[in-house]
Each structure stands twice: as structure tokens, then as C-alpha cells.
Amino acid sequence: MNRLAMRFFAPLAVSGLLAAGTVSPAAAATTFTNAIFQATHNSYSGNLDAQRGSIRYQLDHGIRFIELDIQDNDYSTVGDYRIGHNSAGDLVDHSGGNPSSNLLRDWLAQVAAWSNANPTHAPLVVMLDIKDNLTDNANYAAGNLAALNDELRAAFGGSLMEARNYVTGSTVDSMRGKVVTLLSGDSTTRAGYQRDLGYHPAIAMNNNGQIVEVHDSGAGALWYWTGTYGADGRVNWLRHGRYDSGTTPAVALNDNGDLVEVHQSQSATTLWYHVGHLGADGEISFSASHQYDNGVAPSIAFTGTSTLREVHRSPSTGLNWQWTGSLSTTGQTVAWTNNARTSDQRYPTSTASAGGHQVTVYTQADGATPSQTLRDSTDQVTGQRIAYRQRAFVEYQDGDNAELRQGALFYAAPASDTAFLTAARANGFLARGWQFDSAGDATNPLVNYPATDYPYQSWYQSLLSQSGAVQ
């Protein structure tokens, strides 16, 4: 994983600073980790509780770091996250040309429109301060992090500088016209963006390179990931969601995208199955679950386009038993026959082979992550995390656990937390101090992102000018 996270904002075109659009030779060679930019705190609040102006006004006057607080509680109803401090609409200033709605999509569109109209701007950071836990959103339709990822990509398109593509040592000039997105706020969400936890992972892959992974939470929930086998030998994970309750799941997938999932109930030794279909977008449409037997440790495989075989273990004798099945895609059911004891081993559940490739899933700590971190290895790449595509950077804040510090490039704390911020700068990280509202908050060196509520006051303009802030 690349070392993640950065913030960029250019100072105002005021006395002592360069005119907007001009670039000094020194600035062109400045690396992001050494650069200082103008930033605002609670940017969406405009002039409601301070003097920031509208988002467009801030951008026009050199701000290159925008903060948007987002709420997710109504996502399934409105189809989007909403802007607001303590709740949707709270402290949101709709005047001065700001969007009339609280929908995140509308606010991102305004930033994107400005960026497109000013293609030589210094790298612009859009930070999302996540006010709710997004990892408890059951699926894409409920607003999980896959949905947020897609919204960021839809808003900024080719201008989006994805975190996974960041190159250490990049200069300010090399990223002009780019938009950088950053996840802040809820720490569970930030950790969940970079890894997932689970038990008993199982996987299936077809000859088209489509992949389905299933696992249980250890507490009764069943979850899936879908992805594709990439040209670089890595799995590109696409969608994630909860589909049922139970434990020890297994899954089979054919080349048409049809799948059959089997699992044991959480509280009994009953066996259940789902029929599903994997869409081109990576989403799975599941049928209702049906009980088909009693047993433990189920395993399953396609033996033909619509024929299956399931092998599980008896909970009382430890012997293996089998079923053969016929899949009905129209009825979304399996007709099970030929239930008998078998000397055959259960099918492997944690490894799948198809199209000349192989993928294995397992749990293992990755540095500071928990031991139940879901991982995958392919025939070409070993030990990747099962996680969302890293489009956004993830912020590390003072007080976060070591897991969030691992690989982080953006560090942040209140402006009064000078020891943390100074140490971050000294160690080559990008430091943001929020509520930076007086010259007395300045550290030496100045934080990269002094996020203020008063960007146009003379003390702030003078401080940024004296510090050589980047245009």
C-alpha cells in the first residue's frame, strides 16, 4: 500500500502572495509533504458561524482544502449522504451560490465544476468528515463504502487522484488540476475502508475471472465480497454486503454468474442455501434462504453449468455426506437429490481455481491490523488485504490506534495539539491543525494545512505569506 494522505490549498491573491494562477519556480519543485496550503474548517458552514464565504468563493480566493461533514442515516431513503454537522442540514450555509440541497452529490458537483473550469489549480483536497459509522450499512444500496467510492469517482472522473496511485515524493506542480479525497471522522469507518474482518472465509471464481468471497462475522452475520481477477494478478474488490445470518459459509459460481451459497445456522446444525446472480456491476441478487439438511461444515461445487454437488460433515458421527443438485435460475432454487454417505473429502472452500489462475482467502494480521483481517493471495500476488479500492486517502488522528497510523500520510489534530502536529511534520507527514483561529496556533514549521474559520483575516494571510504558502 502506498503511504496515504495529503492536503493541498493555495493562499489568497492578497498582498505578499503571488497572483492567482502564477507559479514560482520554488513552488513547482516543492514536494507535497513540504508544502503549505490554505484550508478551511467546516467549509460548508460558510458565514453562518464564521467568515468563510461560499464554497465557490473559498476556491476562487485560494482555499485548496475543503471540509464537508456527511451523515448517512437517510441514505436508503434519499439515495445519497447528506451534509451537516450534528445532523443533516445542521450549520449548512446554502447562500452565496452554495447548493440549495444537503446532498453530498450536489456539493461535490460544485467542487468538480470549479476544478474543471480551473485546470491548473494546485491539488485540491476534499475531506469528508464522516459523522456516522458507514460499516453498519448492509450493502451498496444502504450507502456502504463502495457506494461512497463510486460517488467520488462519478464526481471527479479523471481529475481524481486515487490514493492507491500516489507516488511518494510527488511535487505540487505534478498534481495540478487534481482532486484528492480524504476520509476523516468515524474511526471504525476509516479502518473499515482499509481492511475487513471475518471468520471462515470461502471463495469461488469462474473462467471469466469473476470472484465471490463469503465469510461470517463470528457473531452471526454472513457477508460477501465480489471482485475480479486483474491483469496484474491482483483481485480488484468491487462490492461488499450482508446477506444472511449463520456461520461457515461456502459458495460455488458458474461462468454465467449464477451462484449457490451454503452455510450452517449460527445456533443449530441445520444447513441452508441461497441461489444468487452476480451482476456486471459486482452486485449479487440473492434469493431467499432454504433449509436442505442437518450437518456442519458444508462445501459445494458446480459439476456442470446447472448441476452441483454438496459435501458436508455429520455433527454426530463426523462422517461426510453428499447431495447432488440441479439449479433452477428461473425459480431461484436447487432441487436436491442423491443424499448419501461418501468417503470423498469436502470440497476446498478457501481456494478457487479457474481460467488458469488461483485465489486463496484466509485471515491474518497485516502489521497492526487484527488477526481476523481478511486477506487474499493469488498465483501471482501474495498477502493482499480484502478491502475497498483505495480511491480516498485515510487520515490518522491523535488518539487513533496503531492500525490507522500504518501507512498514513495525513496526520491531524486540533491546532492546540502542537506536540503531535510538530512531530508529524518532523517525520515527513502532512499535518492538519483544525480550528486554527489565531496566529498563536502556529507551529514551527507551520502545519501543512492550517484549517481555519477565518481565512481572510490579516493575521492568517500574513502567516501563510511568510510561510511560503503554495499558489
Side-chain angles (χ1 to χ4, degrees):
M1 179 181 294
N2 288 328
R3 298 180 65 194
L4 302 183
M6 300 200 79
R7 300 246 164 129
F8 323 112
F9 15 89
L12 303 171
V14 296
S15 177
L17 300 183
L18 293 172
T22 62
V23 182
S24 72
T30 299
T31 61
F32 287 139
T33 51
N34 289 327
I36 296 170
F37 306 83
Q38 282 194 114
T40 51
H41 171 247
N42 291 345
S43 312
Y44 58 90
S45 291
N47 294 331
L48 287 185
D49 59 350
Q51 293 84 45
R52 306 177 194 86
S54 68
I55 294 296
R56 184 178 292 119
Y57 186 90
Q58 293 175 49
L59 295 172
D60 283 342
H61 288 79
I63 305 301
R64 294 297 176 264
F65 176 92
I66 297 294
E67 176 187 343
L68 301 175
D69 294 359
I70 64 170
Q71 312 278 341
D72 77 328
N73 290 337
D74 298 320
Y75 188 97
S76 59
T77 301
V78 301
D80 199 2
Y81 311 93
R82 295 203 284 175
I83 305 295
H85 191 259
N86 293 318
S87 60
D90 179 41
L91 287 177
V92 179
D93 188 350
H94 295 291
S95 67
N98 278 343
S100 59
S101 82
N102 296 318
L103 299 180
L104 175 62
R105 188 174 295 109
D106 294 338
W107 289 73
L108 295 181
Q110 185 173 85
V111 176
W114 185 91
S115 175
N116 291 336
N118 297 272
T120 62
H121 66 75
L124 169 59
V125 170
V126 178
M127 187 198 83
L128 302 181
D129 189 347
I130 301 169
K131 295 298 186 180
D132 302 306
N133 178 9
L134 302 192
T135 66
D136 61 5
N137 295 342
N139 51 40
Y140 189 94
N144 68 8
L145 285 159
L148 181 60
N149 249 358
D150 281 359
E151 187 159 334
L152 296 176
R153 182 65 179 178
F156 300 116
S159 296
L160 180 64
M161 207 309 267
E162 295 194 10
R164 68 178 195 156
N165 296 329
Y166 170 71
V167 177
T168 300
S170 294
T171 64
V172 170
D173 203 44
S174 70
M175 285 188 59
R176 288 192 171 273
K178 294 296 185 181
V179 177
V180 174
T181 56
L182 176 68
L183 303 187
S184 183
D186 182 72
S187 60
T188 300
T189 301
R190 284 182 285 139
Y193 185 70
Q194 296 182 301
R195 55 87 180 129
D196 192 19
L197 306 179
Y199 293 77
H200 309 115
I203 195 165
M205 178 169 62
N206 65 21
N207 289 309
N208 301 318
Q210 293 177 297
I211 294 170
V212 174
E213 184 273 345
V214 291
H215 63 271
D216 68 69
S217 67
L222 291 172
W223 293 81
Y224 68 87
W225 282 94
T226 68
T228 59
Y229 188 100
D232 60 357
R234 299 174 186 271
V235 178
N236 302 310
W237 296 104
L238 301 173
R239 294 287 180 93
H240 179 44
R242 179 175 177 174
Y243 65 95
D244 204 347
S245 297
T247 188
T248 59
V251 65
L253 176 69
N254 70 18
D255 290 346
N256 295 326
D258 302 314
L259 63 93
V260 177
E261 179 273 349
V262 291
H263 64 270
Q264 180 186 333
S265 66
Q266 177 71 9
S267 59
T269 56
T270 53
L271 296 177
W272 301 74
Y273 79 91
H274 287 273
V275 173
H277 184 75
L278 177 60
D281 60 359
E283 197 56 73
I284 299 174
S285 54
F286 280 105
S287 70
S289 62
H290 304 276
Q291 184 181 353
Y292 66 95
D293 202 352
N294 294 300
V296 296
S299 66
I300 192 166
F302 273 100
T303 57
T305 301
S306 60
T307 57
L308 301 119
R309 183 169 180 252
E310 187 273 347
V311 180
H312 63 270
R313 192 167 65 244
S314 165
S316 57
T317 67
L319 299 175
N320 286 346
W321 289 75
Q322 72 162 15
W323 286 94
T324 57
S326 178
L327 171 65
S328 169
T329 56
T330 56
Q332 293 286 285
T333 57
V334 175
W336 298 103
T337 59
N338 191 27
N339 180 216
R341 202 171 75 183
T342 178
S343 59
D344 292 346
Q345 297 296 308
R346 295 168 54 250
Y347 289 107
T349 58
S350 60
T351 297
S353 299
H357 298 296
Q358 180 174 291
V359 181
T360 299
V361 290
Y362 56 99
T363 59
Q364 185 182 67
D366 183 14
T369 70
S371 60
Q372 292 308 127
T373 299
L374 293 167
R375 309 279 293 276
D376 74 77
S377 291
T378 74
D379 50 298
Q380 299 186 60
V381 179
T382 300
Q384 302 299 297
R385 298 182 189 183
I386 297 178
Y388 296 99
R389 177 171 175 147
Q390 299 296 288
R391 287 194 166 133
F393 292 80
V394 175
E395 188 174 69
Y396 171 69
Q397 298 183 2
D398 194 8
D400 285 339
N401 62 33
E403 178 184 355
L404 283 167
R405 184 171 66 242
Q406 185 176 345
L409 188 59
F410 282 101
Y411 279 49
S416 59
D417 193 353
T418 55
F420 176 85
L421 295 170
T422 302
R425 283 284 272 140
N427 286 289
F429 301 109
L430 287 145
R432 172 177 71 102
W434 70 80
Q435 293 182 320
F436 192 101
D437 290 338
S438 76
D441 291 326
T443 54
N444 185 19
L446 186 64
V447 293
N448 307 87
Y449 317 110
T452 185
D453 294 320
Y454 305 97
Y456 316 121
Q457 292 190 359
S458 59
W459 67 265
Y460 188 76
Q461 298 173 8
S462 176
L463 182 63
L464 271 289
S465 177
Q466 292 170 10
S467 300
V470 172
Q471 293 286 331

